[in-house]
Each structure stands twice: as C-alpha cells, then as structure tokens.
Amino acid sequence: MKKLFLAGAAFLALTSLAFADDAALEAKARAIQSRIVTIDTHTDIPTFFATDRYDPGKLNGPPALVDIPRMKSGGLDAVFFIVYVDQTKRDAAGYAEAASEAFAKFAAIHRMTDEQYAKDIGLALTSADIRRIHAEGKRVALIGIENGYAIGRHPELLDIYYGLGARYFGLVHNGHNDIADSAQPQSDLGDKPNDKGGEHGGLSEYGREIVARCNDLGIMVDVSHSAKSTTLDAIAASRVPIIASHSAVYALNPHPRNMSDEEMKALAAKGGVIQIVAFDEYLQPMPKEKKAARGRLAKSLGFTSLDAFFAASPEAKEKFAQGVAEIDKKWPRANVALLADHIDYAVKLIGIDHVGIASDFQGGGGIAGWSNAGETFNVTKELVKRGYTEAEIGKLWGGNLMRVMDAVAAGRKP
Ligand SMILES: [Zn+2]
C-alpha cells in the first residue's frame, strides 16, 4: 500500500512538473512571439477573396484557413497573399486568361487593404513598411506571384504587377512555361521531362531576361516549384539573393518539389532563404492510397480549382471536411514536430540566416497543429522547445526574409 502511495505521489509530482514545464515554455514562447514579426510567405486566395463570399474580416469556416481574426488569435503578423494562376495552354487565349486571373487577385487583395479593412491590415511593399504597419498594431499583407505563366510572353506585365505591389515572382508552377522547367512536368499539357532532356533544361533565354528584369525592378525571384536545373540557373543568373517561398527538404523526403542539399547550399551562398513549408506531402512520403483517396474526394465534390472549392455549398464543404478527417485518421497528417525537423535540417546544413517558414494555406498546406492561421503559435512553441533563441526565432519567422527583401530592393535599377 505504502509503495503504491509513493509511486502515486511520484507520478503526481512528475506530471505537475511536466505541467509547470509546459506552462513555462508556453509563457516564454508567447513572450517571444509578441516581440518578433511573424511572416508566412505563402497563402493562396480565390479570385473572389474579400467579397462577402470570403470576408477576411470575419472568422471563416473551412476551406478558408486565413482571416484577420485568426491572424490575430494565432499571432501571425504578416502574410504574403498569392496571385496564383492556373496553367493551361501556352497560347494567346491561355495567357489572356492567366493575366485576367492575376488582375482579379490583385484587385481582391487591394479591396481588403485599401477599402474594406484598411484600419486592420496594411499592404507592405518594403521591409520598412512591414515594421511600420506592425508597429501600428495592424496586420500586414504582402503580395507574391505564383507561376510565371501569369506574364506569358509579355514581360511588361511584370512591371505592372510590381506596380500593383507584387514583391516576389514564382518562376513556374506545375508544368513547364516559357520561362523555365518545372519540378513537376504536366504530361496532359504535353510537357517533356525536366532538367537534362527537358524543355529548356533550366531557365530559357526568355527566363534569363525575366530574372534580370526582376532584379532591375526589385522583385524577389522565387524558385519553389522549379526544376533543380531551373533553381540552380536562377541562383547563378540573379544579381541578388533569391527565395524558395514554400519548399521542404529533399533529403528528408525525396519529393520533386523539395530542395536538394546542393540547391539549398547554392541558395544560401547567394544570401537567399528557403521558407520551409507546412505541406503534408512535402514533409513526409504520401502513400499512394492516400493521394488517390484525396483525389477521389475532391473530384466527387467537383473541387477542381480553388475557386470551385470556395464557391461550393456549405453541405459540400462539410462533406469535404469530414472526408479529409477520415483520410487523416487512416494516414496521419504531418505535424508541427516534423515541420521543425525540416527546419532543423536546413538550419544545420545552410545556417540559421537562410531558413524561414511558410504555410501554403489554401494551396494544399496545413498540418496537425498548424492547420489554420489561428494555430500559428504552435510553431513558435515548438521552436522554443527545441532550444532556438529569441534572435534565431525572429530570423526564422521573418527576419531572414526581410533581409532578402532589403537586398533585392537595394539592387534595383529602375
Ligand atoms: Zn505552390
């Protein structure tokens, strides 16, 4: 009896110690998060973002994962909202459609920052803007472009997009374009493989012109979704540091979207940053059955695009959420600890000055523990738990990205 009592007391003492430890960790992480600027470099939006169909000033239900209330509650200060364009045929009609999708998304972001919620969230064009708007107690919006297909064969569109506030330019998405080879060629668009034997074997001549124009304008070149050959070409061609806005580590999960050690080292040698992404399939190998089940679920509900997904009926959205929960139960989703493993690996390989964080929310991103903007604090807590200092966490959560923004702005040749 006495033994049992002692064991019980020891157990209680241990658990209360664990609770005390957790409370101390939580308090430390909260204090750190309140003093730094947290930037998520990749959140997708539908074209009708900032309308009553997706009102960023309100708390939204799924599939919306980001809004101003959840940025506040999660301690997420700044978000790059993404002007992503879907790629179809590379002809005049396709380019026109892509540009119109891009303009619709620029307009949506400006509706939020210039009209509807100017009091709550401001558009930043420079790192100084980020710090100023943050100091005013507001959230910060930035704009990144995903897929060079958005300019087609019209480089002058890049100047216009820069004028509309774009501060990074993702060279490619899924499928090769006129600028470069993609990490994931699309056979249904007639793509050849990539890299050696690919369409361009990296950057095309036109792609080199575009990288130079990005440098002249002061817009960051983004190599997420690029083939390895494209990434290495872009790093070599750029006069200033470049970024990977949402990628993970190939050595930990050999997915074509992830960055090899060679690419990460070259990126860092140029002063750039890889924003490690909270994307299940990039953080851990995805079983074929899981991928197929997710595909079937989306197809059965007609969710063929981000717009279709957001425009669906509440019933369809609910069905989707239930379906995803069932799939995740069977094949657990990556979690914050695994995200931190990728961060740790990158930090060990290329140093604390060259690593950052991205969600890819609403573009397939979201993991257990960071499944929407309201859970952002969990990432900070995990980093504190792993022994990162406040200065290091500040670099990971935005300091490094702002350094690259500054270097790119300083390289402008207007
Ligand atoms: Zn992406």
Side-chain angles (χ1 to χ4, degrees):
M1 187 65 196
K2 197 179 174 192
K3 250 188 194 166
L4 200 67
F5 171 77
L6 280 175
F11 175 74
L12 276 177
L14 274 175
T15 47
S16 62
L17 253 180
F19 277 132
D21 278 357
D22 193 64
L25 181 74
E26 172 112 5
K28 186 177 175 189
R30 289 222 181 268
I32 289 175
Q33 187 157 304
S34 73
R35 290 190 292 258
I36 62 172
V37 180
T38 53
I39 305 175
D40 167 11
T41 46
H42 206 88
T43 282
D44 275 288
I45 50 165
T47 48
F48 50 80
F49 178 67
T51 67
D52 52 10
R53 294 161 80 189
Y54 179 0
D55 180 345
K58 292 191 182 137
L59 187 64
N60 292 264
L65 305 175
V66 180
D67 39 46
I68 296 167
R70 281 183 286 184
M71 284 176 74
K72 278 186 187 164
S73 66
L76 181 56
D77 301 316
V79 167
F80 272 85
F81 292 93
I82 300 306
V83 172
Y84 159 80
V85 302
D86 221 3
Q87 183 161 333
T88 53
K89 268 195 186 161
R90 280 187 266 162
D91 56 18
Y95 296 141
E97 202 174 312
S100 100
E101 188 179 355
F103 282 119
K105 290 185 176 178
F106 277 110
I109 299 162
H110 281 274
R111 264 200 305 279
M112 171 178 74
T113 58
D114 308 351
E115 298 168 15
Q116 297 170 332
Y117 295 104
K119 287 203 313 292
D120 306 292
I121 187 163
L123 181 68
L125 304 175
T126 61
S127 74
D129 285 347
I130 298 175
R131 295 193 191 281
R132 174 183 51 78
I133 296 166
H134 179 246
E136 289 168 3
K138 292 185 196 172
R139 304 297 112 185
V140 183
L142 296 110
I143 304 178
I145 294 172
E146 182 171 36
N147 197 358
Y149 182 66
I151 63 167
R153 301 286 310 176
H154 298 278
E156 63 277 17
L157 277 173
L158 196 56
D159 296 45
I160 295 171
Y161 295 156
Y162 177 84
L164 288 170
R167 287 299 177 270
Y168 77 67
F169 183 74
L171 298 171
V172 281
H173 190 251
N174 295 336
H176 305 325
N177 61 24
D178 297 310
I179 294 169
D181 280 7
S182 164
Q184 293 175 290
Q186 295 298 295
S187 52
D188 56 341
L189 292 173
D191 282 355
K192 290 182 181 176
N194 56 19
D195 296 330
K196 245 189 197 159
E199 179 173 334
H200 311 292
L203 273 182
S204 67
E205 272 315 303
Y206 176 58
R208 286 174 199 283
E209 279 170 37
I210 295 305
V211 167
R213 188 63 198 146
C214 284
N215 289 171
D216 290 349
L217 284 168
I219 185 165
M220 294 184 284
V221 170
D222 171 23
V223 291
S224 285
H225 289 285
S226 286
K228 182 179 176 181
S229 53
T230 299
T231 299
L232 295 175
D233 278 358
I235 292 166
S238 178
R239 298 194 307 264
V240 288
I242 71 170
I243 65 167
S245 70
H246 60 304
S247 292
V249 171
Y250 189 88
L252 297 182
N253 181 27
H255 188 289
R257 265 286 278 112
N258 287 342
M259 282 188 107
S260 64
D261 289 7
E262 183 188 356
E263 290 164 273
M264 285 198 280
K265 282 180 184 169
L267 182 85
K270 194 92 185 202
V273 58
I274 173 175
Q275 303 287 116
I276 302 290
V277 68
F279 197 108
D280 186 24
E281 190 181 350
Y282 306 158
L283 292 175
Q284 63 180 359
M286 180 174 277
K288 261 195 213 133
E289 300 84 350
K290 182 177 184 182
K291 199 172 174 124
R294 287 199 68 136
R296 273 197 307 274
L297 177 67
K299 208 175 163 192
S300 72
L301 294 164
F303 294 175
T304 49
S305 70
L306 193 63
D307 273 14
F309 192 11
F310 273 82
S313 67
E315 296 74 36
K317 286 175 182 167
E318 179 56 35
K319 253 190 195 163
F320 185 75
Q322 278 173 7
V324 168
E326 270 165 39
I327 291 169
D328 283 348
K329 213 173 184 184
K330 210 161 167 191
W331 299 283
R333 206 185 269 225
N335 58 19
V336 169
L338 189 57
L339 174 74
D341 288 347
H342 281 246
I343 292 172
D344 285 350
Y345 183 96
V347 167
K348 279 199 189 91
L349 185 76
I350 56 176
I352 190 75
D353 292 328
H354 303 286
V355 185
I357 303 163
S359 69
D360 207 356
F361 285 144
Q362 299 168 175
I367 54 176
W370 194 27
S371 63
N372 64 66
E375 295 182 338
T376 302
F377 172 69
N378 290 337
V379 178
T380 308
K381 192 173 163 186
E382 181 68 25
L383 295 173
V384 174
K385 194 171 150 190
R386 290 189 182 212
Y388 286 100
T389 65
E390 177 166 343
E392 290 169 337
I393 294 169
K395 286 180 177 186
L396 293 171
W397 256 135
N400 292 334
L401 193 276
M402 288 192 274
R403 183 199 71 234
V404 174
M405 272 186 96
D406 290 344
V408 171
R412 265 173 71 79
K413 278 190 193 163

